Amino acid sequence: MTFDYDLFVIGAGPGGVSAARLAATHGAKVAIAERDKVGGTCVIHGCIPEKLMAYAASFSHVFEDADEYGWGKVRRRINWQQFMAAKDKAIDHLSQLHIQHLNEAGVELIYGQTKFLDAHTLDVGGRKITSDKILIAVGAEAVKPNIPGIEYAITSREMFELKQQPEHLAIIGSDQIAVKFAGSMNALISKVTLIVRDDNILPGRDQDIRTRVQESMVKNGIPVLCNANIEKIEQVKDDFCLSLSGHNQDTITVNTILNVTNRLPNLNGLDLGKAGVEVRQGAIAVDEYSCTSQKNIFAVGDCTNRPHWTPVAIASGRAFANTVFANQPRTVNLECIPLALSSQPEAATVGLTEAEARDKYGESVRCYRSSFQPLFDSIAQPEHKTLIKLVVDGNSNLVLGAHMVGEYAAEIIECLALAIRKGATKKDFDTTIGIHPSAAEEFFTLKNE
Ligand SMILES: Cc1cc2nc3c(=O)[nH]c(=O)nc-3n(C[C@H](O)[C@H](O)[C@H](O)COP(=O)(O)OP(=O)(O)OC[C@H]3O[C@@H](n4cnc5c(N)ncnc54)[C@H](O)[C@@H]3O)c2cc1C
């Protein structure tokens, strides 16, 4: 049987684009479908606009610090429309670069909503297309909790399209996306209130990091309302009134509500049943080679139950292309994935938390912590402290996790991720010469508590 393509990819986000390009480079005839803009959540509605917002926000602290360093006072008010226009331009440029890279690799780009007609046939915006192999890379979409009035809340996607800067923003959520938005918008001089259902932010992260980030947010003037349930949201003229129960039995009036509580695989309208693709707990079920229950159909990225991060989607897309089109079987090692939070201050983490390490290694776990004032802040913000922490198995001396809250945390932890993955011991850390003066050097001088 002949097909229109060797590979058809649904979704031009990081997972789909990386797989399509590499498969085409290996000689396959490839097409990719996209219903929105090329680049996916990461480039258009996620990582990139959020990081640009964090960069815009970082000036707020730099201006304060500049004053202390002798530069004098700088105007601290962002022109929202100017920033949003600059952000849109940068995103368009990145999207165009992705299109160019697809073209250069020989991948055909087709715009349109795509669904299955059978295991080898797709409907792409009304056009019937057949393919030998199909890769599903449709990502995930925000979902809202079932609260009366939740329709007044926007999602992260709309947040990046706001024409006016919110005066008072309520953020519903506790994970990294909620914390990042809260930090950035607060530094951009919106009034921000974070509403958290649990007793702490950043579920699943190391407790020291959770506590330190939350304390810093409160210090920066962000009320973090924990153990708070939202009973209802009502519109009152141009504002919205949130009625809370739980520890905070309060009402809050804001002019914008951002809901970032959950994201689920984007499977609606794909007609997966027609292709015999199994869905388990709301995500496409895949084996270690990203193969679904239908042997010619594969899935990568946020539509699977793998961690929802861009580098995971890219690594899975590349492993799939190498396995299927270059006869080089590849799986993705999902252990030790470093994560960063472009919060204010920045935080980053890799490997096991202290609690996870104690569960796995018991009494032998040793933690090494330091909370210190970075040199930069000795002039600018004497009250600012950086926190670093290593989690070590006392028996083998292996470093199991590294965690940090402070300037450059993402860059520093990324490098430590390699050392930890390669099996670095605490002794290796102790015998490494640091760069002085730097925050990173503190990781190499940590003493027992
Ligand atoms: C606010 C926010 C911040 C984030 N920050 C980070 C971060 O700092 N670091 C990080 O690593 N990750 C971050 N993420 C997560 C990251 O964006 C995702 O993990 C990544 O984009 C997943 O890539 P993907 O290729 O699986 O899917 P996506 O990037 O979601 O791409 C899927 C594409 O498929 C298209 N599509 C869907 N259905 C169809 C269909 N039926 N037909 C045609 N096209 C279709 C969509 O339009 C989309 O373009 C963030 C996410 C959000 C929302």
Side-chain angles (χ1 to χ4, degrees):
M1 186 166 173
T2 56
F3 299 101
D4 298 329
Y5 298 98
D6 300 322
L7 171 66
F8 196 93
V9 180
I10 314 173
V17 167
S18 61
R21 284 177 59 193
L22 191 55
T25 310
H26 289 319
K29 185 181 180 198
V30 184
I32 189 165
E34 175 54 56
R35 67 180 181 189
D36 187 358
K37 288 187 180 163
V38 171
T41 306
C42 174
V43 174
I44 314 293
H45 315 288
C47 329
I48 301 297
E50 195 179 66
K51 187 73 185 180
L52 292 174
M53 193 176 262
Y55 283 139
S58 66
F59 285 95
S60 173
H61 296 293
V62 170
F63 290 157
E64 267 174 43
D65 299 342
D67 187 18
E68 298 293 331
Y69 266 88
W71 284 92
K73 292 229 176 292
V74 183
R75 188 179 78 106
R76 284 184 69 222
R77 184 86 213 164
I78 191 160
N79 180 327
W80 180 261
Q81 287 74 20
Q82 192 182 337
F83 161 64
M84 291 299 257
K87 171 206 61 113
D88 289 344
K89 197 171 160 203
I91 285 171
D92 277 349
H93 175 68
L94 278 178
S95 179
Q96 285 306 320
L97 267 185
H98 278 66
I99 293 172
Q100 186 188 324
H101 292 151
L102 286 169
N103 282 336
E104 283 165 3
V107 176
E108 190 182 336
L109 172 61
I110 305 172
Y111 286 99
Q113 172 79 25
T114 305
K115 63 180 180 181
F116 282 93
L117 298 176
D118 62 43
H120 286 284
T121 317
L122 296 160
D123 176 313
V124 186
R127 183 174 150 198
K128 210 167 166 183
I129 288 175
T130 61
S131 183
D132 181 14
K133 307 273 188 307
I134 295 172
L135 177 70
I136 310 170
V138 292
E141 199 78 81
V143 285
K144 293 179 182 176
N146 197 4
I147 298 169
I150 194 70
E151 65 275 12
Y152 297 123
I154 59 170
T155 65
S156 53
R157 183 184 275 254
E158 288 108 39
M159 185 72 204
F160 295 123
E161 291 162 6
L162 284 182
K163 300 275 177 273
Q164 302 291 335
Q165 180 176 357
E167 269 169 45
H168 188 174
L169 174 70
I171 301 179
I172 312 172
S174 60
D175 75 357
Q176 29 275 57
I177 295 181
V179 169
K180 289 195 277 184
F181 272 122
S184 293
M185 291 307 296
N186 179 61
L188 290 170
I189 327 282
S190 287
K191 189 170 175 222
V192 175
T193 304
L194 185 62
I195 303 172
V196 177
R197 208 181 44 187
D198 306 319
D199 54 5
N200 218 194
I201 57 169
L202 299 173
R205 305 283 156 234
D206 189 90
Q207 190 56 47
D208 283 334
I209 301 298
R210 300 174 76 185
T211 307
R212 175 58 66 90
V213 173
Q214 189 161 323
E215 282 170 1
S216 302
M217 291 176 82
V218 173
K219 227 184 252 171
N220 286 338
I222 304 172
V224 181
L225 309 183
C226 291
N227 297 301
N229 288 317
I230 301 166
E231 293 299 323
K232 61 178 178 192
I233 303 170
E234 290 167 305
Q235 185 163 22
V236 184
K237 295 192 183 143
D238 288 342
D239 291 332
F240 302 103
C241 186
L242 295 95
S243 306
L244 305 183
S245 66
H247 275 194
N248 291 281
Q249 303 192 346
D250 213 344
T251 55
I252 308 169
T253 303
V254 299
N255 73 333
T256 309
I257 305 168
L258 170 64
N259 175 72
V260 278
T261 46
N262 202 5
R263 291 180 65 79
L264 291 177
N266 215 344
L267 309 183
N268 281 344
L270 271 180
D271 277 348
L272 289 173
K274 289 189 178 164
V277 172
E278 189 193 338
V279 174
R280 226 178 283 151
Q281 291 169 341
I284 297 177
V286 287
D287 68 11
E288 58 192 320
Y289 293 101
S290 300
C291 188
T292 70
S293 53
Q294 185 62 257
K295 69 177 182 357
N296 70 305
I297 302 180
F298 300 77
V300 295
D302 287 6
C303 62
T304 67
N305 61 3
R306 294 194 179 131
H308 286 194
W309 298 108
T310 289
V312 174
I314 293 175
S316 306
R318 292 181 64 81
F320 152 78
N322 280 326
T323 302
V324 176
F325 294 100
N327 203 19
Q328 296 164 3
R330 295 268 193 282
T331 57
V332 178
N333 184 341
L334 296 174
E335 280 177 15
C336 242
I337 301 173
L339 294 176
L341 255 182
S342 50
S343 49
Q344 323 277 334
E346 196 170 289
T349 168
V350 65
L352 299 188
T353 65
E354 181 177 345
E356 287 167 342
R358 292 202 186 284
D359 272 355
K360 204 165 168 190
Y361 295 87
E363 292 290 295
S364 70
V365 170
R366 305 271 174 274
C367 288
Y368 301 82
R369 260 172 284 247
S370 173
S371 182
F372 59 94
Q373 184 189 64
L375 181 62
F376 178 84
D377 287 324
S378 61
I379 289 182
Q381 308 271 354
E383 76 286 5
H384 277 191
K385 290 255 190 304
T386 287
L387 172 74
I388 61 172
K389 176 174 180 180
L390 283 182
V391 180
V392 176
D393 171 25
N395 286 336
S396 61
N397 202 238
L398 281 175
V399 177
L400 306 171
H403 311 279
M404 175 170 178
V405 182
E407 264 318 90
Y408 310 116
E411 313 290 340
I412 293 169
I413 292 291
E414 172 76 76
C415 297
L416 295 187
L418 177 64
I420 293 175
R421 274 204 59 191
K422 294 310 257 181
T425 59
K426 177 68 171 64
K427 194 167 169 221
D428 292 325
F429 273 68
D430 293 342
T431 51
T432 298
I433 306 279
I435 292 177
H436 182 76
S438 71
E441 70 175 328
E442 302 291 332
F443 271 108
F444 307 115
T445 56
L446 281 169
K447 299 278 175 299
N448 223 337
E449 291 181 327

